[in-house]
Amino acid sequence: MNKLFKEHLVVAQNASGRNMNVPLYRFVGDKPGPKVYIQSSIHGAEVQGNVVIYQLIQWFKTLPICGEVVLVPNCNPVGTNIKAGEYTLGRFDPVNGTNWNRGYYYDEQFVQEFAQKIDKQESIASIKLRFRQEMKQQLQSRLDATWGLGLAQHLNLKLQQLAFDADYVLDLHNGPVSTRHIYVPEFVKNSAGLFNIPHVIFMPNVFSGALDEAMFCPWWLLTDLVSKQRQMSVDFEVEAFTLEMGSQEVVSFQEGEYDAKSILAYLTAKNCLFESEIKPQNMPRKAVSLQNYKTLFTKQGGIVEYIAKPGDSVKKGDVLARVLNVDNLESATATSEILAPCDLVAILHFPSASVLSGTQLYKCFTEYFDL
């Protein structure tokens, strides 16, 4: 049966000089296999992932693992505790204004220089091991920087050190008011249907600072470089995804069980669970390239009724939202409608009914297709 080890990782210190820890649950199976890393709540208001990890822990108490699974719930205790009244304002580092999910590290030149030094006879397993070791040294050198680091980047690099050992990395998020969707790197697009998630965004090999990109960009580039050197296809079997599992500031244990089984279906397909028969659901899935995942900004401020709900398919010209202008309540111009500029699928919308002009009102799939 799996062995469970519980540790605590120091990620920050508060103003009193006390350490701020996050729990780390490590399940080790009796049989060898891949390593899995799963974290939740890098943004403080995105709490549902903690319930998903709770449900996974219940499964791993009895479901045999091949290899190892590392679970890090509530990985950003600073963000979770940034409150304004009843709202959690945990998307940005309050000291430096940095997005908590944009401080991870990737250096394309480092990967290219590493690839140039690979002997043509070296095994894939050996390359993989050395690359991990050298990448973690890069991360440690940044953590030891003479001039220090901002809080968000320090937290990100500590987590990245843990994650970079893994073959499969899942970063659990939530949108503001959102339906389930997943970010999938294009080079592993066949894995998109292994989760019970109906909306898929295919990602190019471009780094914008997020954890999934910090995981898949170096391996994707290394795969391309080594494949060209050896004039054959190589596969380091490393995958990373961001899973968006509904809306922030909402917790549901029933939905958490659904998402846990979705993750278990993926892990079963990747030979991480040798006695599992959990399979992904046969369900319609819509996909889009990242460039066609569009943001609709409001041109006017006001009080908004969101007509299109997350997950709705909307035709061009249909009403997405209705806006009330409180300065003109007596006139015929008190209300106006925001229309869909093209056929689209509404994925998420702004959480508040009060909006300023220029607000990101909706994020939508356009030019989407069925998987």
Side-chain angles (χ1 to χ4, degrees):
M1 188 49 62
N2 307 323
K3 296 181 177 65
L4 170 60
F5 303 91
K6 184 179 180 182
E7 309 165 30
H8 285 88
L9 178 71
V10 178
V11 295
Q13 285 188 332
N14 66 18
S16 299
R18 296 189 181 94
N19 287 341
M20 301 188 74
N21 304 318
V22 298
L24 188 153
Y25 299 89
R26 190 186 305 272
F27 285 89
V28 180
D30 291 334
K31 295 187 177 183
K35 184 170 181 177
V36 178
Y37 175 88
I38 304 174
Q39 72 175 33
S40 65
S41 291
I42 191 66
H43 292 135
E46 300 176 18
V47 291
Q48 177 65 13
N50 300 313
V51 179
V52 177
I53 288 180
Y54 164 77
Q55 300 287 17
L56 287 171
I57 288 173
Q58 310 317 306
W59 277 94
F60 292 144
K61 288 178 180 178
T62 57
L63 187 61
I65 293 169
C66 295
E68 183 177 344
V69 177
V70 176
L71 304 165
V72 186
N74 198 38
C75 69
N76 180 6
V78 180
T80 304
N81 287 284
I82 302 172
K83 306 291 288 189
E86 65 268 38
Y87 296 102
T88 306
L89 305 179
R91 190 168 185 82
F92 300 97
D93 169 2
V95 179
N96 302 303
T98 309
N99 186 320
W100 290 110
N101 193 39
R102 292 295 183 271
Y104 297 97
Y105 164 76
Y106 171 58
D107 184 346
E108 182 176 326
Q109 183 176 347
F110 162 72
V111 181
Q112 291 174 338
E113 291 174 353
F114 178 89
Q116 291 171 1
K117 299 175 184 177
I118 295 173
D119 186 280
K120 291 184 178 180
Q121 305 305 314
E122 185 175 7
S123 70
I124 296 301
S126 174
I127 296 171
K128 193 173 180 179
L129 177 61
R130 284 199 310 109
F131 187 60
R132 282 196 168 124
Q133 291 171 341
E134 294 194 24
M135 182 67 179
K136 290 171 71 177
Q137 289 173 1
Q138 293 282 317
L139 295 171
Q140 189 60 50
S141 68
R142 277 149 183 79
L143 285 166
D144 295 336
T146 302
W147 295 93
L149 295 169
L151 180 59
Q153 189 176 16
H154 182 272
L155 170 65
N156 286 169
L157 295 180
K158 293 278 282 188
L159 295 171
Q160 190 175 353
Q161 279 188 316
L162 284 174
F164 209 81
D165 271 335
D167 303 291
Y168 304 113
V169 175
L170 307 180
D171 194 11
L172 309 186
H173 284 252
N174 299 95
V177 179
S178 175
T179 188
R180 287 183 178 90
H181 55 291
I182 182 171
Y183 291 86
V184 176
E186 290 176 349
F187 83 112
V188 293
K189 61 172 54 180
N190 290 340
S191 292
L194 300 178
F195 298 89
N196 299 330
I197 298 178
H199 301 101
V200 178
I201 303 164
F202 286 125
M203 301 284 288
N205 191 12
V206 176
F207 181 68
S208 301
L211 177 64
D212 60 340
E213 298 160 348
M215 295 297 108
F216 70 66
C217 282
W219 289 109
W220 190 343
L221 177 57
L222 187 64
T223 298
D224 284 347
L225 294 172
V226 177
S227 296
K228 290 176 182 177
Q229 288 174 357
R230 300 189 173 187
Q231 297 184 328
M232 59 180 290
S233 178
V234 302
D235 187 357
F236 291 103
E237 297 184 328
V238 176
E239 300 182 3
F241 308 92
T242 292
L243 281 63
E244 302 274 359
M245 303 169 304
S247 304
Q248 64 189 28
E249 294 279 46
V250 175
V251 161
S252 166
F253 282 80
Q254 181 178 357
E255 296 298 319
E257 174 67 4
Y258 175 95
D259 287 308
K261 291 190 73 172
S262 172
I263 291 170
L264 293 173
Y266 169 76
L267 296 181
T268 301
K270 296 300 178 180
N271 300 313
C272 301
L273 308 170
F274 65 90
E275 289 187 3
S276 171
E277 297 182 356
I278 300 173
K279 296 181 179 180
Q281 295 180 10
N282 183 12
M283 63 191 302
R285 293 176 174 86
K286 291 182 171 61
V288 72
S289 63
L290 181 63
Q291 65 184 1
N292 292 321
Y293 185 40
K294 301 290 189 181
T295 301
L296 180 69
F297 294 87
T298 58
K299 295 180 180 179
Q300 69 269 46
I303 309 301
V304 174
E305 177 188 9
Y306 299 95
I307 305 297
K309 306 305 179 187
D312 284 354
S313 295
V314 180
K315 294 294 185 181
K316 179 179 179 179
D318 286 353
V319 178
L320 285 173
R322 185 174 293 111
V323 182
L324 178 67
N325 184 331
V326 296
D327 276 351
N328 294 310
L329 296 183
E330 80 290 352
S331 75
T333 61
T335 64
S336 58
E337 294 178 335
I338 297 175
L339 307 180
C342 62
D343 291 355
L344 57 84
V345 178
I347 299 298
L348 59 84
H349 67 68
F350 192 65
S352 175
S354 302
V355 301
L356 302 172
S357 60
T359 296
Q360 295 187 34
L361 195 68
Y362 278 93
K363 297 193 78 171
C364 309
F365 280 14
T366 67
E367 298 185 39
Y368 54 90
F369 52 92
D370 294 327
L371 281 185

